[in-house]
């Protein structure tokens, strides 16, 4: 097994880190990449206004998820947990213990590579792992790399070194990036979910009123709440909500906001959902107390209102997006259906449901969508929520009148 180890302060992690990690993963055919935010770095004390250790860990995790490699990319809090200064040699020794048979490769950027002889116990580092250094393509980097390789091989004859220059690697230091963020710039240098996380927590002097975000900001914030694999669903729901709102004369802005925030709490587990229910005084019926899937609509609506300041129309559209209910508003129907038929959905009958939604009207779409849900729940032997049955009865009644 070949394992890459990428440490750094990740304060914050940015697209430069992400591009390099992706390139090395492919070039070295790694089986596993470990991202390790540093605790107290020996070479540079963290500047004031930095994110906390937990925040750097979470931003690093969000960045790792963007590689879309599932379990093959992991973020470890190895160095954050350890007391005192964090030395790379200690980290490598700990990883060697965990994976005695693995081939270890330590990833690093240009600056680190050119100073590695000054680190704590460099001989131990070269003994435990190979070193992969990467920098931006260009003659400067390449000649500096080859001079350094020569020096290192003389001092550490058994060293294994790979250097590579990556075209298009984003060459930005975290220090420079923090300055730019404080001036309201630099968002494009971050994975969107990381930018959203920074906005939510007001890190690095980024000041945003969460109740009045622009759409790009709101989209980034929404992504920071989601598992990476759910991002396409939410973005497609936004697009579908826009189309439905335009088709049926609904407020497009409200539809977009509701769509972007509708699954905000979807990744939370039962305990976290319950904590939010207590916080926001959300009462649950017997079915909801057991059905994790049903809770995210209610807790998501509460977060949307409390944190992001949405109005009652958007609040109820999120609140009812999973079950529906009797006497639904037009916006509620649009969010329910956009979630159901968005472009990434692929299940038997979705084409017909899309056609009905656009050609026969929202109510006809709701009747078909709700009926399909009821049938599916019955087929799986799952109980159907009373609000879903009420929605269906109500709409059928309306349509027959
Ligand atoms: Fe949902
Ligand atoms: Fe959804």
């Amino acid at each position: 097994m070949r394992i890459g180890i990428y440490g750094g302060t990740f304060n914050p992690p940015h697209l430069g880190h992400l591009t390099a990690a992706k390139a090395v993963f492919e070039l070295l055919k790694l089986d596993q990449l470990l991202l390790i935010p540093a605790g107290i770095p020996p070479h540079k004390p963290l500047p004031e206004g930095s994110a906390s250790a937990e925040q750097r860990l979470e931003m690093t995790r969000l960045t790792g998820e963007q590689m879309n490699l599932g379990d093959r990319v992991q973020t470890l809090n190895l160095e954050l947990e350890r007391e005192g200064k964090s030395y790379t040699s200690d980290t490598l020794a700990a990883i060697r213990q965990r994976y005695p048979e693995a081939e270890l490769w330590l990833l690093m950027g240009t600056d680190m590579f050119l100073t590695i002889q000054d680190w704590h116990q460099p001989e131990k580092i070269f003994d435990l792992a190979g070193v992969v250094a990467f920098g931006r393509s260009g003659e400067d980097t390449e000649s500096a790399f080859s001079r350094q390789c020569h020096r290192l091989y003389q001092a550490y004859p058994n060293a294994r070194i790979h250097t590579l220059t990556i075209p298009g690697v984003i060459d930005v230091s975290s220090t420079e990036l923090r300055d730019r963020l404080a001036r309201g710039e630099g968002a494009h240098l971050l994975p969107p979910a990381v930018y959203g996380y920074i906005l939510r927590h007001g890190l690095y002097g980024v000041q945003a009123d969460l109740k009045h975000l622009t759409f790009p900001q709101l989209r980034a914030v929404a992504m920071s709440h989601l598992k990476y694999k759910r991002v396409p669903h939410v973005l497609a729901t936004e697009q579908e909500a826009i189309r439905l709102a335009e088709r049926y004369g609904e407020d497009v802005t409200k539809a977009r906001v509701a769509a972007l925030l509708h699954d905000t709490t979807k990744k939370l587990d039962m305990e976290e959902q319950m904590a939010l229910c207590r916080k926001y005084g959300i009462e649950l019926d017997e079915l909801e107390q057991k059905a994790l899937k049903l809770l995210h609509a209610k807790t998501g609506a509460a977060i949307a209102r409390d944190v992001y300041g949405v109005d009652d129309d958007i609040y109820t559209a999120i609140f009812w997006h999973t079950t529906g209910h009797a006497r639904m508003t037009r916006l509620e129907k649009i969010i329910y259906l956009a979630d159901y038929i968005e472009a990434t959905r692929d299940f038997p009958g979705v084409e017909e449901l899309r056609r009905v939604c656009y050609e026969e009207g929202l109510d006809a779409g709701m009747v078909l969508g709700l009926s399909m849900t009821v049938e599916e729940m019955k087929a799986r032997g799952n109980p159907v929520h009373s609000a879903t049955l009420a929605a269906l009865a109500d709409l059928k009644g309306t349509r027959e009148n």
Side-chain angles (χ1 to χ4, degrees):
M1 178 149 86
R2 195 175 278 180
I3 301 178
I5 297 145
Y6 193 5
T9 49
F10 297 126
N11 187 28
H14 51 68
L15 291 182
H17 299 121
L18 184 61
T19 318
K22 273 185 187 163
V24 173
F25 196 94
E26 282 178 23
L27 283 162
L28 262 70
K29 300 192 171 26
L30 297 177
D31 300 296
Q32 179 89 60
L33 177 65
L34 306 176
L35 301 175
I36 306 183
I40 305 157
H43 5 263
K44 47 177 177 183
L46 292 183
E48 266 185 56
S50 287
S52 71
E54 286 72 32
Q55 289 169 336
R56 286 187 292 116
L57 185 71
E58 178 60 13
M59 289 189 286
T60 307
R61 212 190 49 69
L62 287 169
T63 305
E65 269 198 355
Q66 311 265 319
M67 289 178 72
N68 205 16
L69 290 165
D71 284 350
R72 285 184 289 164
V73 177
Q74 284 178 25
T75 301
L76 302 184
N77 60 354
L78 220 57
E79 295 193 1
L80 300 177
E81 275 176 346
R82 208 160 51 214
E83 304 261 311
K85 290 191 167 188
S86 53
Y87 290 117
T88 302
S89 52
D90 296 339
T91 302
L92 289 176
I95 292 169
R96 165 60 66 215
Q97 260 190 346
R98 231 185 250 201
Y99 304 95
E101 305 294 331
E103 181 183 320
L104 305 183
W105 285 93
L106 185 63
L107 280 66
M108 62 184 70
T110 312
D111 293 352
M112 293 292 166
F113 180 60
L114 296 181
T115 57
I116 192 168
Q117 66 279 2
D118 305 328
W119 294 13
H120 184 65
Q121 299 180 317
E123 67 291 341
K124 188 172 164 190
I125 294 176
F126 284 113
D127 193 38
L128 288 163
V131 165
V132 199
F134 44 81
R136 190 168 55 172
S137 298
E139 238 173 273
D140 290 0
T141 315
E142 273 147 28
S143 62
F145 274 9
S146 59
R147 279 197 304 276
Q148 174 70 344
C149 277
H150 183 65
R151 268 197 300 267
L152 291 173
Y153 281 133
Q154 282 188 319
Y156 312 100
N158 295 324
R160 285 169 298 144
I161 304 171
H162 248 305
T163 62
L164 53 113
T165 52
I166 307 168
V169 74
I170 292 142
D171 207 10
V172 60
S173 75
S174 293
T175 314
E176 190 189 324
L177 183 51
R178 286 194 300 272
D179 289 345
R180 291 172 77 163
L181 287 170
R183 296 198 303 267
E185 301 161 13
H188 65 288
L189 298 170
L190 294 162
V194 171
Y195 179 54
Y197 187 90
I198 289 171
L199 283 169
R200 277 165 60 194
H201 296 274
L203 302 175
Y204 311 117
V206 171
Q207 283 168 358
D209 176 356
L210 295 181
K211 293 185 163 67
H212 297 93
L213 295 173
T214 62
F215 273 112
Q217 289 174 328
L218 189 67
R219 206 172 289 121
V221 160
M223 287 186 205
S224 77
H225 281 286
L226 298 168
K227 277 193 179 151
Y228 184 67
K229 67 169 189 199
R230 196 167 297 281
V231 168
H233 162 64
V234 169
L235 296 182
T237 303
E238 180 194 8
Q239 294 307 311
E240 199 70 52
I242 292 171
R243 278 194 291 276
L244 285 168
E246 283 173 346
R247 172 77 177 79
Y248 293 107
E250 182 52 69
D251 184 320
V252 174
T253 300
K254 287 188 183 189
R256 288 178 77 179
V257 173
L260 283 171
L261 295 176
H262 85 281
D263 277 341
T264 296
T265 58
K266 183 89 177 183
K267 78 171 170 190
L268 303 186
D269 63 21
M270 199 61 174
E271 203 178 310
E272 293 166 318
Q273 295 288 2
M274 286 302 190
L276 285 177
C277 289
R278 283 192 295 275
K279 175 174 177 184
Y280 290 113
I282 297 167
E283 287 178 17
L284 301 174
D285 62 30
E286 216 176 299
L287 181 57
E288 287 164 340
Q289 284 174 18
K290 284 174 285 179
L292 182 60
K293 255 189 99 174
L294 296 176
L295 297 184
H296 80 279
K298 299 190 165 185
T299 54
I303 295 281
R305 180 153 71 188
D306 182 40
V307 180
Y308 302 111
V310 305
D311 65 20
D312 286 349
D313 297 345
I314 297 172
Y315 173 85
T316 63
I318 297 174
F319 193 93
W320 296 111
H321 87 262
T322 315
T323 57
H325 71 123
R327 315 297 301 267
M328 288 174 83
T329 66
R330 186 170 54 192
L331 184 64
E332 288 166 7
K333 292 172 190 169
I334 285 174
I335 297 306
Y336 182 93
L337 290 170
D339 185 32
Y340 214 139
I341 65 171
E342 52 85 359
T344 74
R345 295 287 194 199
D346 183 19
F347 54 85
V350 70
E351 286 301 338
E352 174 61 5
L353 182 57
R354 286 184 183 124
R355 190 194 64 73
V356 171
C357 284
Y358 283 93
E359 289 177 17
E360 295 181 23
L362 285 176
D363 285 354
M366 285 301 301
V367 169
L368 181 55
L370 289 162
S371 307
M372 286 166 76
T373 299
V374 170
E375 287 311 311
E376 195 192 322
M377 298 300 267
K378 281 183 183 161
R380 290 190 191 175
N382 290 337
V384 181
H385 195 275
S386 58
T388 305
L389 295 171
L392 194 52
D394 172 48
L395 282 158
K396 279 184 168 167
T398 311
R399 270 157 49 83
E400 275 158 17
N401 286 343

